[in-house]
Structure formats: structure tokens, C-alpha cells
Amino acid sequence: MAGGQLKSVASLLLVLNFCMFAVVLGIGGWAMNRAIDHGFIIGPGFDLPAHFSPIYFPMGNAATGFFVLFALIAGVVGVASVISGLNHVRFWNIDSLPSATSTAAIAWSLTLLAMGFASKEIELEIRNAKLRTMEAFLIILSFTQLLYIAVIHGASSTR
């Protein structure tokens, strides 16, 4: 009985995580595109500006580049984790558990890394509303991804 309830909880968390990772990827893609389009312009002699940084973002603060980069990586790995998790929910046996757990743990650790840069960006205070939204989503995702890992491990111990 508990396995069926945990299966539905895991399915709900997977759908929630997928939607949130998709939003993170969308906002992160926007930020990366804006940084590429409006970043430093290298002059005709290919001289770099005085304060050139390869991770320069015209919006936000000094932590924005690292935050967006790691948020994009966490988002891609998170979507892969959801795909592996859907496969596990479909079969719901001990053979599909290791791949779902390992990808979920990797996605969670990368989400925590991006959340660390988000907290640094919050501390530095200069950012726009889209970056604030991405920060909030990563903070929530760090909890829901951990909850998903606990649910699939809890289901394996009830068998």
C-alpha cells in the first residue's frame, strides 16, 4: 500500500521538478543570450577591454555569470534526472532504482552548487526580477529534489 502512495508522490515531484527545471533553463538561456549579445565588444584590433571577464553579464552583479552558468548545467542534468525518474516510476522495481537515484543525486548536488551562487548573488544585492525568479526556483528545487530522492529511497525500503 505504501509503495503505491510513494509512487504517486514521486510522480508528482517529477512533474514539479521538470516544470521548475524548464523555467530555470528558460531564464538561464535568456540571461546567457543577453550576455552574449550585450557583453564586451572586442575592438577592430582584437584588443580586449581593460577589465575583461569571460563571464561578464550586463545585468546582475559579480556572481551572476557563475550563477547562470551553473544554473544552466543544473537544469540540463535535472531534466535528465526527471527522464530517468520517469523510467523508474514506469517500472517501479529495484533494477531501475540505481539509475534514478544516481542521476537525482547528481542533479541535486549541482542544484545545491547553483543555489550557493544564488545566495552569493542575493548577498551582493544588484539583480533584476528574472534573476530573482531563477534564484527562488533553485532554492525550491534544492528541497524538492532532495525530497524526491528520499521518496524513492523510502519506497525501496518498504518492499
Side-chain angles (χ1 to χ4, degrees):
M1 179 70 180
Q5 291 172 344
L6 289 177
K7 185 177 180 179
S8 63
V9 171
S11 299
L12 177 68
L13 285 170
L14 282 172
V15 170
L16 176 67
N17 286 352
F18 177 76
C19 293
M20 292 179 72
F21 277 125
V23 169
V24 166
L25 284 172
I27 296 172
W30 165 82
M32 187 65 72
N33 185 44
R34 184 165 162 88
I36 290 169
D37 289 345
H38 301 289
F40 284 113
I41 301 195
I42 298 174
F46 296 112
D47 296 329
L48 293 175
H51 300 289
F52 176 74
S53 171
I55 306 180
Y56 169 75
F57 280 69
M59 75 299 243
N61 51 45
T64 302
F66 297 103
F67 168 60
V68 171
L69 184 66
F70 282 101
L72 284 170
I73 293 169
V76 169
V77 175
V79 169
S81 162
V82 168
I83 292 169
S84 178
L86 288 174
N87 185 48
H88 174 61
V89 166
R90 192 175 106 205
F91 292 114
W92 203 251
N93 60 25
I94 200 73
D95 295 331
S96 62
L97 180 65
S99 64
T101 305
S102 62
T103 56
I106 292 168
W108 179 62
S109 63
L110 287 170
T111 303
L112 286 179
L113 182 62
M115 188 191 74
F117 285 116
S119 64
K120 183 62 178 179
E121 190 177 47
I122 291 168
E123 179 186 329
L124 295 176
E125 295 183 353
I126 303 169
R127 59 205 195 280
N128 64 17
K130 290 180 184 176
L131 292 175
R132 283 190 208 117
T133 302
M134 194 161 67
E135 293 162 2
F137 273 55
L138 281 167
I139 291 168
I140 295 167
L141 270 167
S142 65
F143 174 71
T144 59
Q145 189 72 14
L146 179 63
L147 187 61
Y148 166 70
I149 293 169
V151 165
I152 62 175
H153 271 290
S156 68
S157 66
T158 60
R159 290 182 195 147

